[in-house]
Every structure is written in structure tokens, then in C-alpha cells.
Amino acid sequence: MFEEMVKKPASWLSGDGTSAGIVISSRVRHARNISNFPFPPVADQAHKEKILSLFKAALAKNSHFKKGNLLISPEVTDLDRTFLVERHLISPEFLQGKSFQGVFINKDETLSVMINEEDHLRIQALQGGLKLDECYQLSSQAEEELGKILKFDYDSEFGFLTSCPTNVGTGMRASILIHLPGLVLTREVDGVISKMTKSSIAVRGFYGEGSDVLGNLFQISNQNTLGKSELEILESISKVVAQVVEAEEKARETLFKDAKDQIEDKIWRAYGILKHARMLSSTEVMNLLSALRLGVGCGTINQVSLNQINEILVLSQPAHLQKYFNRQMDANERDATRAELVRLKLNGKGKSNASH
Amino acid sequence: MFEEMVKKPASWLSGDGTSAGIVISSRVRHARNISNFPFPPVADQAHKEKILSLFKAALAKNSHFKKGNLLISPEVTDLDRTFLVERHLISPEFLQGKSFQGVFINKDETLSVMINEEDHLRIQALQGGLKLDECYQLSSQAEEELGKILKFDYDSEFGFLTSCPTNVGTGMRASILIHLPGLVLTREVDGVISKMTKSSIAVRGFYGEGSDVLGNLFQISNQNTLGKSELEILESISKVVAQVVEAEEKARETLFKDAKDQIEDKIWRAYGILKHARMLSSTEVMNLLSALRLGVGCGTINQVSLNQINEILVLSQPAHLQKYFNRQMDANERDATRAELVRLKLNGKGKSNASH
């Protein structure tokens, strides 16, 4: 399964979809818990084992989940675990040396379910570009199918009950991964973020909660799930995203009006370094790809596609790199191999053409 | 004449010759003064005018100086003057708003004579690579030819008399322009320089006396001209140069042994930036060309020739740039045009193919 995944970029990396030049991906997840079991953080091993087997049984019964794989800890190696985090399929803390945790991933990676994470089930739909509605439909449908077999904890007053109070209610979170180099370069990003956080929107880094902003990539999601319907949440986040996309587009226009030479220079240098460097750290790649993505989005560079950029973004992460080249590497070796991979991918070549 | 010069790189930029990967160029100059005239720094206008006309007469009489041009101040514009400095044909202070100064330059720029600089005549031979003997022969022959017509100030005890006491004796200075990135990167360069200066060797920057070291390019020349014969001077400077070349080669070996990845990365990044940047300052170009030259010298890069690097080195200087594109430019415009020129030249294209 991993063999296949590393060769084939996830469908959300396609680089198409609405606002694909600015919005990298959309995601909707539903947190659900099964009635009469304690939440995972306080559940004992026997409870967790039972939850996992209930989920397995549900999978087996429902044709909706036919095409996919279920990975279960502790059978997942550290490298594979990191690979899944890099792929945005599991949260960073998940599967880390714990038993009876698992993750179901469908064939094209658009749908996944984490079992015994913070909640019994975390159902997630992930797609490229601005596709919150599609993600919502996918996640809702999976939730509905599972709900036909499993009985979810539901309170008529509060809604779905969850381990953390911020998820109570719809248990739904909608988020997008968005690229905001224009707002960062014009120094408007802090203002835009503080305006968002005031209206219950959370802004996070590349790997979600508590992670750093890398390559000017931000995750924007709804903060609360209580007291609003799913459609209200979707509508409010879509509205905010539209505003941010517009602000980013304006910032880019301003940049190209006021400092065209400097911006184009920055973009072309990033391209030149990516195409020729022999050592690249993952942080540097993220930053250079940011400039390159800006260049592709603004038409400065047309030798490279968003798909290529997205693929490099994912493949150049440490675990992907090691799985791609099928060997363990120390940091120094990774930097050299990462540079090799970036050159290959920018020249439009795959693994089979690599000379090493 | 300038039109032609800017289109055609000087012969010393060919990039061939012994140790051409390390020694950029060789130069020998003879300082001569004409008997019964005060030295230029203390001469009045009438004296200078006379010196100039004596030189003109000598040129006319001697077929050796047939093919070439004589430029005379104040007819030389500021831009042309800077152009000649950048071309290493005159010293930085020369022709600056003064009358009766002149410079003779032969067809292929291997031989030039400054008139009424610090001395009445400064005869200079300039060639690419390590060619001190050839330069010596060229300069000596010109000196001999001029000596047939003009009577030089000569003292049987001291030798040739010159304006500055450091030039008294042979009046000869032999120098090379040498590229020492290995010694700079291994931090051995200060030790090597201090060893040289102790043995009467002067080490200077790219534009000669008092100029900064740019792009790891150093000028090495003999300090004194008194008490030694010309051949002894040539021999001693050649010996020092051979030692420095050897030290540089060893330093490069060490670098490629101890930090191959880092060095190759530095080289390829320089190439990538030069090939793609949209804004380049002259200092940055010098530094990037230094890495590129190292890469070509060490076989890391074979897409570029030393000849191309030398041409870019000269053409990317402010006056060359403006004459090449045939328009006056401010610093910002120069940076953009310099980047354009560098891209053209690295793609092996000349002016005619430029799209701008």
C-alpha cells in the first residue's frame, strides 16, 4: 500500500480546482463517538480494543468502505507513521506507540477515518483546491454510512458528544490549507489573521495545531462546532476563505505593481536554486516552493505546474523521501537526496529516470 | 573603436593558457620617463603637451604601433574612461578631467601605453592565463621600439628613473590576476598573503592598488624594482605564483575531500542564480562567478567555459553594461539589465539574440 502511495501522488495534490493557485486543499472532518464507551483519552485497553473491532465490523458490513486499507498500531512503523502525518492523513501524535489505534484510508486518499484518536472516530474528507462542499458531502456520507451500523453518542440538547468540548455539537471541522505569500510579503497577514481569530476562525501552521507556519502555508478552520448547523459552519468558513483569497489576490497585485522586479527576481532565484542546488533542507524547500508557487500563480513561471509543486511539497518531507528512495538516511543524506528529487521532479522525471 | 571593443571580448579573456582555471591574466608594465622633462605630478601643462606630442611623433615613426588607437583627454567621456578602467587598460585615476593625458591601445588590447600618468610612459602588456614571459617580451619590445626614438631618463647607478621611488631601477612591474576561492574558503589566504608580502610581493584587489578584493580575485605583483634585473623579478614572481597556484590547488582538493556536497551545492546554486535571477548587483555577480569559476575549474560544471565567465566578468561592470546595451542606466536598471546579460551569455547568446 505504501509502495503505491509513494509512487502516486494523492489526488488532493492535483493542483486543479477552484482557486488552486491559492487554496492548496480543503478538508472536512467529523468527530464521532460510540455510545456507552468512554472517550479514548480515558478508555482502558479493553474498551479501545472493542471500539476498533466494532469499526472493523462496520467496515466489513458496508460496501462504501470496500476500497481502502485499515492500518492498525503497533503494526505501523515509525517511518510509515510519519509518512501518513506528512500525507495529512493522521494527526502528528497518532499511532505513536499505542495499541488499538487505527486508520482507514480509501483508495484515492480522499476519505480516511482515525480510530481511537481523541475521539472514537475521526472521519476526514480531503480534496485539492477549494472544495469544502465536496469534502462535506464525502465526510457526511461516510458518517451516515457508519451511523447506520454504529450508534453514536448524541445528546438532543448539545448534539454529538466529543472528547474535547470544542468539538461538541456538529463535531465537524472544516479547514483549508492556503498559501498567503502576498499577505506575508506586504506584512498584512497579521492583521488578516487577527481579524479571523476574532470571528471564531482558527489559523494554524502546516501540520495543524501547534505547528509552525512553513512556506507561507496556513490552515484556516472553524473554531467552534456548537450552536451552529453544519451548513452554517460551512457557509461562514467559505465566506472567510473567499475574503482571504481576495485579500491575497490584492496583495499580489500590489506586489507586482510596486516591486515587480524584486518579486520576479525572488521567484526566478527560487526556481534557479531548486533546479540546481545539491543540498536542500525541508524548510528551505518549503520556502523556495512558496516563491515558485507564487510565480506559477502569477504567470511569471510557466515551466512548472501546481501539480509538480504539490508533489515536491509532499515528497520532499523526510519520511516520503526515504520511502521514495527506499532507504534510511541521516539528515545530511536527506538534504542531498531531497535536492536530487527536486531536480528530477522539476525536470518532469520520475523515479525510473533517476541516475544515482 | 569602443563599439568594436564592447562587442568583442579582449584577447586576455579567452580563458586559455597555462593555469587558466586559476590565473586569469598576466601583465607586465614598464615605467619610463623622457629625459629633461619633469615627472607628470610636477610638470606644467606645456611640459605635458610636449610629452604627448613627442609620443605621438614616436608612434607615427614606428611601424610597431601602426595598428591601434590613441585616446586623449579630455576627449574621452566619463563612461568611456570607466570602460577602460573596467577593461584593465588604464588606472582608476587616469584621464579624470585632466588635459594632455592619453592612452594608446593596440588592436587586440595586448599592448597599451598610458601617457602622462604617474610617469611619462607606462607601457603595459596584458594576456590571459599565466603568460608572464610573453607579456615581458611584448612590453620590452615596445619599450625598445619607443627607446629608439625617445631618450629615456636613465641613471647608470640606479637604472631608469621614475616618479615614485618604488619604480626606480627596472621600472618594471609584473603582475597576475589570480582566483583563490579555495584558499579563501579554507581560510588559508591570510597566511599565504602575509608570507608573500614578507618577500616583497604586493597583493591587491580586483582594480589594483587600494581596491577591494571582489569575487576572490587577487592581484599579485612585485613590490620593488630596484637592485634586481628584469629577469630576476620575473623569476621571483613566477616562483611565488607557482607556489600560490599549488596552494590553491591543494586547498581545492581539501575542500572537495572534506566538504564535497557543500562545495558542489554552492557552485550549482551560483549557476542556478546566475541563470535565473532578474536583478544582480555587480558585487553579487563577482561572487557568483567566483563559485562558478571554481566549479568549471574543478569539473563540477561543464556547461560553461572560462571564456564565458571572463566575458561576463568584464561585461557586467557598470560602464560595459551601458555601452553593451547602448544606453545610460541608473543602478536599479543596471541590476535588471546585468541579470539579463548574464542569462544571455550563459545561454551562449550574444546581443543580437537579446529579447528586450
Side-chain angles (χ1 to χ4, degrees), chain B residues 103-311:
Chain B
V103 59
F104 168 84
I105 302 162
N106 79 343
K107 201 82 181 166
D108 63 357
E109 298 174 48
T110 49
L111 184 74
S112 59
V113 185
M114 286 190 284
I115 305 109
N116 285 325
E117 207 246 18
E118 195 181 286
D119 294 294
H120 293 151
L121 303 181
R122 284 277 175 105
I123 305 158
Q124 169 184 283
L126 177 60
Q127 302 227 341
L130 184 52
K131 286 189 186 157
L132 284 172
D133 291 342
E134 290 87 334
C135 288
Y136 171 67
Q137 272 161 32
L138 209 60
S139 185
S140 292
Q141 197 190 352
E143 189 265 355
E144 211 181 299
E145 295 295 331
L146 288 171
K148 286 178 188 166
I149 302 158
L150 304 167
K151 190 181 173 335
F152 295 142
D153 242 354
Y154 184 81
D155 180 279
S156 58
E157 191 184 342
F158 291 115
F160 291 99
L161 300 180
T162 53
S163 174
C164 174
T166 58
N167 292 314
V168 168
T170 60
M172 185 184 98
R173 175 161 287 166
S175 70
I176 55 144
L177 183 63
I178 191 166
H179 184 228
L180 304 177
L183 291 172
V184 170
L185 286 169
T186 55
R187 291 156 201 251
E188 294 169 61
V189 75
D190 289 342
V192 171
I193 288 177
S194 88
K195 211 176 132 193
M196 281 192 276
T197 48
K198 267 177 206 151
S199 54
S200 295
I201 298 292
V203 181
R204 301 191 167 101
F206 184 61
Y207 291 111
E209 204 162 342
S211 70
D212 289 336
V213 172
L214 289 168
N216 302 317
L217 292 168
F218 297 80
Q219 283 200 25
I220 297 177
S221 63
N222 61 308
Q223 189 77 270
N224 295 312
T225 60
L226 187 66
K228 278 185 178 174
S229 74
E230 292 184 334
L231 291 179
E232 279 168 345
I233 292 171
L234 271 185
E235 199 182 317
S236 79
I237 186 99
S238 296
K239 209 174 121 191
V240 168
V241 170
Q243 284 165 356
V244 177
V245 166
E246 199 191 325
E248 171 64 19
E249 280 168 347
K250 270 201 186 137
R252 293 183 183 192
E253 266 173 45
T254 306
L255 280 175
F256 274 83
K257 207 181 65 195
D258 297 350
K260 190 171 188 286
D261 286 345
Q262 285 70 17
I263 283 295
E264 291 190 343
D265 184 49
K266 191 182 163 72
I267 289 165
W268 280 107
R269 278 169 188 254
Y271 181 57
I273 292 172
L274 285 166
K275 269 198 83 140
H276 292 94
R278 259 56 187 171
M279 301 286 282
L280 284 168
S281 73
S282 47
T283 305
E284 190 183 8
V285 166
M286 295 280 273
N287 290 329
L288 294 172
L289 285 181
S290 172
L292 191 57
R293 188 186 295 276
L294 176 65
V296 171
C298 295
T300 307
I301 290 205
N302 50 36
Q303 291 88 328
V304 182
S305 67
L306 289 177
N307 175 262
Q308 276 173 293
I309 294 175
N310 288 342
E311 205 185 343

Side-chain angles (χ1 to χ4, degrees), chain A residues 149-215:
Chain A
I149 301 156
L150 303 166
K151 190 181 172 335
F152 294 142
D153 242 354
Y154 185 80
D155 179 281
S156 57
E157 192 185 341
F158 290 116
F160 291 99
L161 300 179
T162 54
S163 174
C164 175
T166 58
N167 290 315
V168 169
T170 60
M172 186 182 99
R173 175 160 286 164
S175 70
I176 55 145
L177 184 64
I178 191 165
H179 185 227
L180 303 176
L183 291 172
V184 169
L185 287 168
T186 56
R187 290 160 203 245
E188 294 168 60
V189 76
D190 289 342
V192 170
I193 287 178
S194 87
K195 210 176 132 194
M196 280 193 277
T197 48
K198 268 178 205 150
S199 54
S200 295
I201 298 291
V203 181
R204 302 194 165 98
F206 185 61
Y207 292 111
E209 206 164 338
S211 70
D212 288 337
V213 172
L214 289 168

Side-chain angles (χ1 to χ4, degrees), chain A residues 16 23 68 74 99 107 119 129 132 144 146 162 177 207 212 214 256 289 297 352:
Chain A
D16 48 23
V23 179
S99 298
K107 202 82 181 167
D119 294 294
L132 284 172
E144 211 181 298
L146 288 170
T162 54
L177 184 64
Y207 292 111
D212 288 337
L214 289 168
F256 275 83
L289 285 182
S352 52

Side-chain angles (χ1 to χ4, degrees), chain A residues 77-96:
Chain A
T77 66
D78 269 358
L79 188 65
D80 290 344
R81 197 187 63 75
T82 311
F83 178 86
L84 295 172
V85 174
E86 291 173 358
R87 207 93 171 169
H88 287 219
L89 290 170
I90 64 171
S91 49
E93 317 74 30
F94 196 57
L95 298 184
Q96 217 157 10

Side-chain angles (χ1 to χ4, degrees), chain B residues 63-69 104-108:
Chain B
S63 62
H64 190 78
F65 299 96
K66 232 179 183 173
K67 288 192 176 169
N69 288 285
F104 168 84
I105 302 162
N106 79 343
K107 201 82 181 166
D108 63 357

